[in-house]
Amino acid sequence: MQKNTKQHLCAGLITLLLSPLSMGANPLVQTNAGNRSVIVQENHAPVSVHYQSTTKNYYPERLGKKIVIRKMYIVPFDRFSVHGCSPDVLFKNCGDFYEAVQVYLEVQSIWPEPVLLTAARLDVIAPKHNFDLGPKPGGGRHSLSEMITATSNPEDFLLQPGTVKLINLGRGLRLNGVLAFFDEQFSDVEILTATTPYAFYDLTIVDNFNRFLRRTYGAKAALKISLYEKGYQPILITVANLSEGTDFFGRGDPTKRNGYNFLHDHFVAEVLYQLRGGTDSLTSRMFQKNK
């Protein structure tokens, strides 16, 4: 009898010891999600960590298991504002670049082992159907293609632990009619050329530009960005609303409105630079920034 009692007690203790292990299999990661913490939810799915602002609104940090997106840009192609070719334009089909933009991402590895980005995909969510995929950036050294075998210099997309790199998605898009925003008077706007891309001080322009984008393309217009490793295994997939852009004061701050979205002050400044006759190639400047 005593022997049976001891056996039952041992079985019970083993059950108690093992039960926390089985509970730990839950995909949700336990975090310090108390009232004093900004972190309120976390799991291992792409774009999975959410932060809490003082107004109780939640904004997603663009975070995957292995990499995080630190900055997001939509920037104009060189000759963005040129309808057709002229004698000093080298592009054979320069009209293709009219109102066309490209996407740059600043990504950082948060994985203790090397991470190789192998491909990237850009999809357009366009409820008004007046913007769509556009010309490709041209397969530059830092352009990550949709096809693994089409990416030049794939070693440039190898991220060592903690490495930060600037990449260009291998597909652009066209914002038809976006130059109408620049019909307004911007003569007093001073362009800051100490940054890449260029920026400006008057940040109310970003709010006006967001309102223009909502009117022109719809409040739900967005870009879906997919980054892959290995054989098209998703490493981070996120959706960024086109009309929720921010400025350089909002980047990287999870408690600020519109943090971690496209930095529209840079887009507007680069377009103004071209409209004022600037010829310094943005593509060259962005690549220099990556060195």
Side-chain angles (χ1 to χ4, degrees):
M1 184 73 178
Q2 291 180 348
K3 184 177 181 181
N4 290 337
T5 302
K6 290 181 179 180
Q7 289 176 341
H8 286 303
L9 288 173
C10 289
L13 287 171
I14 291 173
T15 302
L16 288 173
L17 289 171
L18 291 178
S19 59
L21 294 177
S22 60
M23 292 172 62
N26 191 311
L28 287 179
V29 176
Q30 301 302 314
T31 63
N32 57 338
N35 294 331
R36 297 183 179 181
S37 172
V38 295
I39 300 179
V40 295
Q41 177 182 341
E42 181 178 356
N43 58 41
H44 285 318
V47 196
S48 58
V49 178
H50 290 68
Y51 290 92
Q52 178 176 330
S53 74
T54 55
T55 59
K56 304 299 181 183
N57 293 321
Y58 301 110
Y59 304 99
E61 180 177 6
R62 303 183 191 280
L63 177 70
K65 184 178 180 180
K66 297 182 179 181
I67 63 171
V68 60
I69 297 177
R70 294 161 53 102
K71 298 176 188 175
M72 307 174 66
Y73 306 95
I74 58 170
V75 294
F77 276 86
D78 294 332
R79 302 292 179 175
F80 169 88
S81 59
V82 176
H83 262 299
C85 297
S86 59
D88 64 329
V89 176
L90 299 178
F91 296 122
K92 292 181 180 179
N93 300 310
C94 60
D96 293 343
F97 296 89
Y98 181 72
E99 294 189 324
V101 305
Q102 51 191 320
V103 177
Y104 280 88
L105 305 174
E106 186 180 279
V107 299
Q108 178 180 358
S109 169
I110 54 173
W111 196 242
E113 300 173 359
V115 175
L116 178 64
L117 300 178
T118 55
R121 179 181 174 88
L122 183 66
D123 293 290
V124 169
I125 301 171
K128 286 192 174 183
H129 306 291
N130 54 350
F131 84 100
D132 204 346
L133 294 177
K136 298 180 179 181
R141 184 176 183 91
H142 302 288
S143 180
L144 187 59
S145 174
E146 292 178 308
M147 295 179 60
I148 294 174
T149 54
T151 296
S152 303
N153 304 99
E155 66 276 5
D156 287 342
F157 302 99
L158 179 64
L159 280 71
Q160 298 297 332
T163 298
V164 178
K165 286 194 176 184
L166 187 70
I167 67 172
N168 181 11
L169 299 191
R171 189 65 186 264
L173 59 143
R174 189 182 302 280
L175 294 178
N176 296 312
V178 73
L179 277 172
F181 176 75
F182 298 89
D183 289 343
E184 303 176 23
Q185 297 298 315
F186 290 102
S187 58
D188 295 333
V189 176
E190 181 183 355
I191 298 175
L192 305 178
T193 58
T195 65
T196 300
Y198 296 154
F200 51 77
Y201 284 120
D202 187 356
L203 301 181
T204 60
I205 294 176
V206 173
D207 292 330
N208 294 335
F209 187 53
N210 280 328
R211 284 191 286 270
F212 171 85
L213 293 173
R214 284 192 289 272
R215 290 195 308 268
T216 307
Y217 307 108
K220 295 184 179 180
L223 298 178
K224 180 181 178 182
I225 298 169
S226 304
L227 301 176
Y228 301 94
E229 65 172 340
K230 302 176 182 178
Y232 297 106
Q233 293 185 18
I235 190 172
L236 193 154
I237 298 176
T238 188
V239 175
N241 191 292
L242 190 65
S243 62
E244 293 182 359
T246 183
D247 53 67
F248 59 86
F249 286 119
R251 71 170 186 262
D253 182 354
T255 64
K256 261 187 95 67
R257 178 178 59 87
N258 294 335
Y260 293 97
N261 284 337
F262 291 116
L263 295 168
H264 281 340
D265 56 332
H266 294 295
F267 176 80
V268 173
E270 286 290 343
V271 175
L272 288 176
Y273 173 74
Q274 290 197 29
L275 291 174
R276 293 175 181 179
T279 58
D280 190 9
S281 168
L282 171 63
T283 302
S284 298
R285 285 183 279 120
M286 293 294 276
F287 289 163
Q288 285 293 325
K289 184 178 180 179
N290 213 20
K291 291 183 178 179

